[in-house]
Amino acid sequence: MNITGHTLEKLEDPFGLLSGDRYEIFLDLDIDEEDELFSDNGVGLRVLFVVDENGSKISNYHFFEKGSDKVFDFALEEDEEQIVFDYCQSIIRED
């Protein structure tokens, strides 16, 4: 799994109920054809990323098929989750 691009949107909390900042990040992924997650349409990863006084964290994520937005029931492996976390944190700093 390689991250090839992304889109980033800062989510607004109109009522001020949540602490910190929340971001919805859509990652474009390059998945090997031999991987069970592979799709001819392409695969993305939607990440809800939180930055608050306690630090940064991935709050939630899911894989989806591009075009259909079909959700895949797969989890990131520990090393993949660290790669996604590091990538998300680096693009938040740039924003």
Side-chain angles (χ1 to χ4, degrees):
M1 176 184 87
N2 293 314
I3 301 170
T4 60
H6 68 274
T7 57
L8 168 72
E9 180 181 343
K10 184 174 182 182
L11 301 175
E12 298 300 323
D13 178 16
F15 302 107
L17 299 174
L18 303 171
S19 65
D21 295 321
R22 282 158 175 65
Y23 300 88
E24 183 176 47
I25 305 169
F26 290 92
L27 302 177
D28 300 319
L29 303 177
D30 180 25
I31 305 291
D32 187 273
E33 287 185 30
E34 302 299 317
D35 194 306
E36 62 185 327
L37 183 58
F38 178 80
S39 167
D40 288 330
N41 296 331
V43 176
L45 182 66
R46 178 190 173 268
V47 180
L48 183 59
F49 198 78
V50 177
V51 180
D52 62 16
E53 65 275 355
N54 297 319
S56 303
K57 68 179 182 179
I58 295 173
S59 175
N60 194 336
Y61 68 85
H62 67 264
F63 290 98
F64 65 94
E65 181 179 50
K66 291 183 178 182
S68 72
D69 291 334
K70 174 184 170 188
V71 174
F72 295 125
D73 188 23
F74 286 95
L76 290 166
E77 294 179 7
E78 193 173 311
D79 61 328
E80 293 172 328
E81 189 166 343
Q82 186 64 50
I83 290 167
V84 169
F85 175 84
D86 292 343
Y87 184 91
C88 291
Q89 190 158 4
S90 72
I91 63 173
I92 299 283
R93 288 185 182 145
E94 292 174 5
D95 187 43

